[in-house]
Amino acid sequence: MKKIGVGIVGCGRISDLHVLGYRDRNDAEILAVCDSNRKRARQKAREWGVSHIYTDYGGLLQDPEIDLIELLVPHHLHCPFTIQAAQAGKHISVQKPMALSASEADQMITAAEKAGVFLRVYENFVHYEPAKVAKAILDAGEIGDPVMLRMHINTGTPPRG
């Protein structure tokens, strides 16, 4: 079975959390990064062991090895980038919030349906270690039946050691 070729678009601080969802997968592999800041794209590519680097979104969309676009761009770009990816025949994963309006969300859904590609809205903290530990504690019943949960989350890349 061919692995899903993933292109990460946007190499800001949240990208490190999204990469965790692809780590050690047998069915998907990050093949490319795309960021308007070439230095940042190179740095992330080096950290993640990725060989293809793009600073132009259109160039990434033309890459035949890329099956799925992971959009980690500012919210106002979600709609146009999703539509472009769908038109290029790429599946799309977009971080919440999906769009700036219900109209934009409808346009994104319509573009994906018309192109026959998958569109998902992704919550990136599902693979975040503190959230995973908190869920395990709750699932184990270690604190009884919660009536409220409050978490403060600081994002970033933990030190390697």
Side-chain angles (χ1 to χ4, degrees):
M1 173 184 193
K2 177 190 174 289
K3 286 186 176 187
I4 298 167
V6 179
I8 301 285
V9 181
C11 296
R13 67 184 178 89
I14 205 69
S15 64
D16 289 318
L17 291 178
H18 283 263
V19 167
L20 295 176
Y22 294 103
R23 187 178 292 160
D24 302 323
R25 302 241 4 160
N26 294 325
D27 58 353
E29 180 180 9
I30 299 170
L31 299 179
V33 297
C34 179
D35 196 285
S36 59
N37 181 320
R38 182 177 297 280
K39 181 179 177 183
R40 183 171 43 211
R42 277 192 200 137
Q43 176 187 348
K44 293 300 180 180
R46 200 169 29 255
E47 287 176 22
W48 303 334
V50 175
S51 58
H52 291 74
I53 300 168
Y54 293 90
T55 57
D56 173 57
Y57 184 55
L60 174 68
L61 292 178
Q62 292 177 18
D63 187 330
E65 296 296 312
I66 302 301
D67 305 302
L68 168 72
I69 301 295
E70 182 78 44
L71 288 177
L72 307 175
V73 295
H75 302 148
H76 71 278
L77 296 175
H78 287 183
C79 182
F81 277 30
T82 294
I83 291 170
Q84 290 172 39
Q87 290 171 342
K90 310 296 185 186
H91 302 291
I92 307 110
S93 173
V94 62
Q95 185 182 349
K96 50 78 184 148
M98 176 183 185
L100 298 180
S101 68
S103 173
E104 282 189 356
D106 288 342
Q107 291 173 52
M108 294 162 73
I109 293 166
T110 299
E113 288 174 345
K114 184 176 178 181
V117 297
F118 291 105
L119 169 62
R120 76 171 179 176
V121 180
Y122 188 75
E123 169 51 67
N124 53 9
F125 287 105
V126 74
H127 296 288
Y128 188 53
E129 196 60 34
K132 289 169 43 178
V133 170
K135 183 176 183 332
I137 291 169
L138 289 170
D139 289 348
E142 293 181 30
I143 61 172
D145 292 326
V147 286
M148 183 185 86
L149 174 67
R150 180 177 178 185
M151 286 181 71
H152 176 79
I153 297 176
N154 229 355
T155 62
T157 304
R160 304 224 192 288

